[in-house]
Amino acid sequence: MLQVCGPNAAFQGTIRYLFRPCPHLILTPQSSPLFFTCGSRKIGLSKMVNPACRPHVTHVIFDMDGLLLDTEKFYTEVQEIILSRYNKTFDWSLKAKMMGKKAIEAARVFVEETGISDSLTAEDFLVEREAMLQTMFPTSELMPGASQLVRHLHANGIPICVATGSHKRHFDLKTQRHRELFSLMHHVVLGDDPEVKQGKPSPDIFLAAAKRFEGGPIDPRKVLVFEDAPSGVGAARNAGMSVVMVPDPRLDSAHREAADQILSSLLEFNPADWGLPPFQDLAS
Ligand SMILES: O=P(O)(O)OC[C@H](O)CO
Ligand SMILES: [Mg+2]
């Protein structure tokens, strides 16, 4: 059923016409005619893309922290501990500016945005948080749906890889309990890779990832990126790729506008929306 409400009948008619192939889309109006909610999510008109009109992708790039692995909570915890020493609190507006970036880039944001750069340099911040992170990373767990999706794409011959702002040493710690799953990736591009001159939102890491597939560089329009961070969504966009965002629910909706599709979990992803092989249970 398509249920559309808007400022006037002509507007409603236009939207009904545009989305007439979407039998299951139910929209309820907000005060602005440019936005609607679908379930609990706020959606801009530009994001109301008929799945039939989405590009059919051939290659998939996964972000790691906060997307495949539940590791963003470790950074949050450590940063809360450090900031409390300065009688300051770590909030999600600052988190949104840091996540997805290379360590030193995120560290500079942290000390500058919190106004503690005179007391703590970005480099010293990294040293201080390292001891805590090293004990946390080996306990990293997979995000819901990550294993199922990675295994499904791999089993169906879709080339997949990881592009993470994490550097090699942290990558090894975070993935030590998940080696078999990560071995399904065609390749992994890390934040300290020489080809990644600038971290997300620069497109460097995704362009390097697209280049390293068999037959690369792959046309960015054929690549689908999965991301959790605003900087990562920006990087995918800057690389000319489509992007599915799986944001933490605490991330402000303003940071979700650039994504092509927003999911509350990888468990919600329907590969067929993007021309990828459907899950068996959905196909039958
Ligand atoms: O989200 P990722 O995988 O690019 O990782 C980035 C940082 O290591 C953590 O925010
Ligand atoms: Mg991430």
Side-chain angles (χ1 to χ4, degrees):
M1 174 188 178
L2 173 62
Q3 175 189 322
V4 179
C5 300
N8 57 50
F11 178 83
Q12 290 177 30
T14 302
I15 296 299
R16 270 200 197 92
Y17 176 78
L18 288 173
F19 291 94
R20 67 194 184 288
C22 297
H24 305 300
L25 188 62
I26 300 174
L27 305 168
T28 53
Q30 295 293 287
S31 54
S32 163
L34 296 178
F35 291 94
F36 295 83
T37 57
C38 185
S40 61
R41 279 172 283 150
K42 188 179 179 188
I43 302 174
L45 282 182
S46 62
K47 305 299 176 301
M48 292 158 51
V49 178
N50 177 355
C53 301
R54 288 192 179 121
H56 282 204
V57 299
T58 58
H59 292 66
V60 171
I61 303 176
F62 289 102
D63 173 60
M64 185 177 76
D65 291 287
L67 188 286
L68 291 178
L69 294 180
D70 189 9
T71 42
E72 282 296 342
K73 64 183 180 187
F74 299 142
Y75 292 100
T76 301
E77 186 179 339
V78 166
Q79 283 147 198
E80 281 172 347
I81 291 170
I82 293 175
L83 262 194
S84 68
R85 283 212 328 264
Y86 299 89
N87 292 320
K88 293 174 186 279
T89 51
F90 185 70
D91 63 30
W92 267 85
S93 64
L94 175 56
K95 175 79 179 169
K97 292 176 186 170
M98 295 177 68
M99 59 196 303
K101 295 188 172 166
K102 287 188 182 196
I104 189 62
E105 293 172 352
R108 288 189 192 114
V109 171
F110 182 82
V111 297
E112 282 160 21
E113 293 275 332
T114 56
I116 62 170
S117 56
D118 288 343
S119 312
L120 186 68
T121 66
E123 290 76 10
D124 287 343
F125 162 73
L126 290 181
V127 171
E128 183 170 347
R129 76 174 191 177
E130 186 63 20
M132 290 185 270
L133 290 177
Q134 290 215 12
T135 64
M136 294 172 168
F137 285 158
T139 69
S140 300
E141 292 176 353
L142 292 167
M143 293 294 281
S147 176
Q148 179 193 16
L149 181 57
V150 167
R151 291 182 196 287
H152 170 76
L153 295 176
H154 181 264
N156 284 275
I158 302 299
I160 52 177
C161 76
V162 166
T164 173
S166 282
H167 54 66
K168 175 80 167 74
R169 198 162 36 79
H170 281 178
F171 175 83
D172 288 342
L173 288 171
K174 291 168 181 173
T175 58
Q176 70 180 44
R177 293 174 58 220
H178 311 287
R179 294 264 189 261
E180 187 267 334
L181 188 71
F182 279 80
S183 75
L184 304 180
M185 300 294 171
H186 181 269
H187 56 278
V188 175
V189 184
L190 300 167
D192 54 351
D193 188 292
E195 213 169 323
V196 182
K197 306 285 184 221
Q198 288 184 292
K200 302 165 183 177
S202 157
D204 289 4
I205 196 163
F206 291 131
L207 294 176
K211 203 195 283 187
R212 294 178 198 180
F213 283 118
E214 300 293 331
I218 306 303
D219 180 346
R221 292 169 298 182
K222 298 280 186 187
V223 178
L224 181 61
V225 172
F226 284 85
E227 261 291 350
D228 69 308
S231 65
V233 171
R237 276 266 163 264
N238 290 333
M241 298 169 183
S242 298
V243 56
V244 173
M245 186 181 202
V246 189
D248 186 291
R250 291 164 291 185
L251 187 70
D252 191 276
S253 59
H255 292 299
R256 308 169 187 205
E257 301 290 320
D260 293 291
Q261 187 178 30
I262 300 164
L263 305 177
S264 57
S265 159
L266 287 175
L267 291 167
E268 280 184 2
F269 182 68
N270 178 11
D273 286 352
W274 295 89
L276 293 166
F279 289 125
Q280 287 302 318
D281 54 341
L282 294 177
S284 57

